[in-house]
Amino acid sequence: PMTNCLGEEGKGFIYLMSELPQERLSIAVSSMASTQKAFDETVAFCRDRIVFGKPLLDFQNTRFVLADIKTKLQVGWAHLDWALNRHYKKELTAEEGAAAKLWHTDLQWEVVDACLQLHGGAGYMNEYPIARMWRAARVTRIFGGTNEIMKELIGRGL
Ligand SMILES: Cc1cc2nc3c(=O)[nH]c(=O)nc-3n(C[C@H](O)[C@H](O)[C@H](O)COP(=O)(O)OP(=O)(O)OC[C@H]3O[C@@H](n4cnc5c(N)ncnc54)[C@H](O)[C@@H]3O)c2cc1C
């Protein structure tokens, strides 16, 4: 019945679209959390896994890959603090929400893939959380609007 109608009739999609920056920011937040978790799991794995007589973490390549990820995590968390602060103040623009979704989901995919690589064959086994995290990461560049569409939105605002 009309008494149950929320807002103005015919404006549903406009109302929905007005919440998209928040939805995209929430995707960025959960992607960042998954990225951090993948990193933490991988550091623990590399400490335990012995190859050529020493822990995987003792090899320079491993440390360089993980150091690079740790640096990006530091930058990523700082960016999310900035974006969340703007959201709380109702200042986050559609372009900024799109950029957050784009950057953090791209980062998630890059990091989770590198973390799986460091697991070797174990990364392909469900016994190791990274296998599922890798599968779950693939969709984040698609839902909430694909990352190509995020670039469209940012580009339109130039
Ligand atoms: C697991 C999952 C959960 C989802 N959950 C929800 C949900 O809860 N609510 C909801 O509303 N939707 C949801 N979706 C839908 C999701 O938002 C859409 O799948 C997504 O926006 C892409 O739309 P599409 O599938 O129609 O792909 P298409 O639009 O057909 O895109 C196909 C390809 O074309 C590219 N493309 C399309 N248009 C352009 C363009 N203008 N310029 C350049 N490239 C372009 C895309 O980037 C993509 O690579 C979900 C999807 C998945 C997979």
Side-chain angles (χ1 to χ4, degrees):
M2 277 310 289
T3 47
N4 287 354
C5 183
L6 297 171
E8 256 183 77
E9 193 179 352
K11 293 242 172 100
F13 194 63
I14 292 168
Y15 294 140
L16 186 146
M17 288 208 312
S18 70
E19 300 302 325
L20 283 176
Q22 172 174 301
E23 190 203 357
R24 289 175 179 151
L25 181 58
S26 79
I27 293 172
V29 170
S30 61
S31 285
M32 195 61 203
S34 299
T35 308
Q36 180 73 56
K37 176 70 177 160
F39 172 78
D40 295 345
E41 287 286 335
T42 305
V43 171
F45 177 86
C46 293
R47 277 201 192 107
D48 287 349
R49 173 72 174 153
I50 305 293
V51 289
F52 293 95
K54 58 181 183 176
L56 185 50
L57 193 59
D58 285 358
F59 289 84
Q60 189 189 49
N61 178 65
T62 312
R63 288 205 305 265
F64 274 20
V65 170
L66 291 172
D68 193 36
I69 294 171
K70 190 171 181 182
T71 306
K72 287 175 180 166
L73 284 167
Q74 188 179 318
V75 175
W77 285 119
H79 173 255
L80 272 191
D81 279 348
W82 171 85
L84 283 163
N85 198 30
R86 282 184 65 74
H87 175 63
Y88 288 134
K89 290 194 275 178
K90 302 200 183 302
E91 290 172 356
L92 188 78
T93 66
E95 289 88 353
E96 289 165 353
K101 194 268 177 184
L102 168 66
W103 195 83
H104 287 277
T105 56
D106 273 353
L107 179 73
Q108 179 189 11
W109 180 248
E110 177 196 324
V111 167
V112 172
D113 192 56
C115 288
L116 188 148
Q117 187 71 17
L118 284 174
H119 279 70
Y124 239 66
M125 297 179 199
N126 280 335
E127 287 89 336
Y128 292 86
I130 197 72
R132 184 165 180 174
M133 291 171 81
W134 184 79
R135 288 202 303 276
R138 187 60 188 87
V139 78
T140 64
R141 293 184 297 148
I142 296 173
F143 64 22
T146 65
N147 282 9
E148 291 74 27
I149 294 299
M150 296 307 103
K151 289 180 194 173
E152 268 297 310
L153 295 173
I154 299 159
R156 269 182 225 160
L158 296 176

